[in-house]
Amino acid sequence: MACALVICQKGNLRRGVIDLLREMTFNQIEVVASGAQGRRRMQEINCDLVIINTPLEDEFGTECALDLQEDYEVGIILLVKSEMAEAAADRLAGTAAFVVTKPISRMVLAQHISLLVRTQRRVTALTRKVEDLQRKLADQKIIFRGKLVLMGHLDISEAAAHRYLQKKAMDLRMKPAEVAERIIATVTHEHS
C-alpha cells in the first residue's frame, strides 16, 4: 500500500484515521486541513486513497471530492454527519467516491477502506488492460493499412504483404506496426 491523503481538521477523528491507516500498512500518510491544501498536495504526490472528513476549513468537502475524482484515479471516502449524508451522496452521484456517515466505528471505516482499495486496484488493472487492447488495435489498424499499401504498390497478395511486413520487422528488429508506418510514410511521400 503506498499513500493516503487525509483532508481533515484537527481533532480526535484525524488522529484515529491516521492510526488506522498506519495499521493498514499505508507507508505514506499525508495530512492537510483544507480542500485547497488537498488539491495542491495531490498535484505533488500519487495517492491511492483520499479520506475527506467534512466540514473542512475552507469548504464543506464535496467540491474537493469532485475535483479530485475528476483529475486523479484515486479512491475517495467522504466522512459526513448523518444528516448531511443524503445531500452529499446526491452531489457525488456518478462518481466513485464513497459517502460514509459519522459517527463511524474503527472497524467499519477499516472495512470501507479495504473495499475501496481493492476496488481501486481492480479498476486500475482493468484500465491498463483496456489501454493495452487499444494499443494493440491501433497497431493492427496500422499493419492493415501497411498491407493495403504494399498490395497496391507492389501488386501482391495480402498473405505476401503480411510475410513482407513480418520479415522486415524481424530484419530491422522493429515491431510490425513500426515497419508498416515507415512503408505508409515512404509511399505517401513518393506520391506527394
Side-chain angles (χ1 to χ4, degrees), residues 107-177:
M107 184 182 77
V108 171
L109 183 57
Q111 289 171 342
H112 282 291
I113 291 169
S114 294
L115 175 63
L116 185 60
V117 169
R118 283 193 314 270
T119 302
Q120 194 67 26
R121 284 184 187 151
R122 183 73 176 134
V123 167
T124 300
L126 290 172
T127 300
R128 284 190 193 125
K129 192 178 263 189
V130 166
E131 289 169 353
D132 187 43
L133 289 171
Q134 287 172 332
R135 274 192 299 279
K136 287 178 182 178
L137 181 59
D139 285 351
Q140 289 301 315
K141 286 179 180 180
I142 291 168
I143 290 169
F144 182 71
R145 283 183 53 214
K147 287 195 281 188
L148 287 176
V149 167
L150 285 172
M151 290 165 55
H153 194 67
L154 300 178
D155 195 29
I156 58 176
S157 69
E158 182 179 359
H162 182 77
R163 280 192 302 275
Y164 180 87
L165 277 174
Q166 293 296 325
K167 181 164 179 9
K168 278 291 187 195
M170 285 193 303
D171 292 347
L172 298 172
R173 295 184 180 171
M174 296 173 72
K175 293 180 180 179

Side-chain angles (χ1 to χ4, degrees), residues 30-68:
E30 301 286 328
V31 183
V32 297
S34 71
Q37 291 170 336
R39 289 176 186 87
R40 277 194 303 275
R41 197 68 188 120
M42 279 298 290
Q43 292 173 352
E44 301 165 357
I45 59 175
N46 182 20
C47 280
D48 303 302
L49 172 69
V50 175
I51 297 177
I52 301 172
N53 180 31
T54 63
L56 303 175
E57 286 181 354
D58 58 348
E59 63 182 278
F60 182 71
T62 51
E63 287 302 320
C64 181
L66 286 168
D67 292 345
L68 296 178

Side-chain angles (χ1 to χ4, degrees), residues 14-27:
R14 181 175 177 166
R15 173 65 26 220
V17 169
I18 294 167
D19 291 345
L20 177 62
L21 291 171
R22 282 196 181 112
E23 289 174 18
M24 295 181 80
T25 67
F26 280 85
N27 58 15

Side-chain angles (χ1 to χ4, degrees), residues 65-84:
L66 286 168
D67 292 345
L68 296 178
Q69 188 78 80
E70 183 178 319
D71 295 338
Y72 305 98
E73 288 185 18
V74 63
I76 298 175
I77 294 177
L78 189 74
L79 301 174
V80 182
K81 287 184 180 177
S82 57
E83 60 269 14
M84 302 293 290

